[in-house]
Amino acid sequence: MRKIEHIGIAVKNIEVAIKDYEKLLNTSCYKVEAVESEGVKTAFFQVGESKIELLEATNADSPIAKFLEKKGPGMHHIAYDVDAIEVEINRLENEGFQLIQSSPKDGADNKRIAFLHPKTTQGVLVELCQERTQ
Ligand code: ZN
């Protein structure tokens, strides 16, 4: 794992949250992107070498909708930047971690991603992400 790529924060209203975070971080949101397969709308901010990702649910079945229902707005996941996501998935499965996806899928912000179940990572949802090369 190379660095913390971003921290994901679940929000109820992304328009309001973008305004709050633009003030908090004193920088503009550089990208708003919907990921239909995940049922989320995302907004990204650069903070040094890492990013903040705000996530709003776009439908009632979205994992973000379920998270908000249970826990309310707040920190949702930590994403680590990796060089070779398949290699890292294999390594972590061999180490006994439970992957939510055992093969990477397309995520927001030009990434290939996979999630680890929080029950094997001390209660934190972990995302692996690798920059998509096209
Ligand atoms: Zn993320």
Side-chain angles (χ1 to χ4, degrees):
M1 314 244 183
R2 299 198 303 182
K3 63 171 184 180
I4 294 176
E5 214 283 331
H6 63 267
I7 293 175
I9 298 170
V11 305
K12 280 189 181 153
N13 180 322
I14 203 157
E15 307 305 329
V16 171
I18 287 170
K19 287 193 185 111
D20 288 346
Y21 270 75
E22 285 184 334
K23 281 185 223 160
L24 176 71
L25 302 171
N26 198 22
T27 188
S28 297
C29 168
Y30 72 87
K31 184 191 273 186
V32 174
E33 183 182 354
V35 183
E36 269 326 308
S37 58
E38 290 291 293
V40 295
K41 189 172 173 187
T42 64
F44 287 90
F45 298 82
Q46 192 76 45
V47 186
E49 65 168 9
S50 301
K51 295 164 189 161
I52 296 292
E53 174 186 34
L54 305 177
L55 302 120
E56 179 191 65
T58 55
N59 65 61
D61 296 326
S62 162
I64 295 300
K66 287 171 189 155
F67 180 91
L68 288 170
E69 223 168 84
K70 261 197 245 170
K71 299 185 177 168
M75 226 194 77
H76 180 258
H77 65 271
I78 295 184
Y80 295 96
D81 184 39
V82 299
D83 279 328
I85 194 164
E86 282 91 355
V87 172
E88 204 59 22
I89 287 170
N90 265 331
R91 183 183 75 81
L92 293 166
E93 278 180 334
N94 287 335
E95 293 283 6
F97 290 96
Q98 189 184 325
L99 275 289
I100 295 175
Q101 297 87 27
S102 52
S103 55
K105 57 182 185 172
D106 289 343
D109 204 28
N110 200 38
K111 296 286 193 295
R112 299 168 69 222
I113 63 168
F115 284 97
L116 275 78
H117 198 286
K119 75 180 168 196
T120 54
T121 52
Q122 303 295 330
V124 177
L125 179 63
V126 169
E127 176 183 348
L128 307 175
C129 60
Q130 181 185 0
E131 194 83 25
R132 217 156 38 215
T133 47
Q134 296 171 324

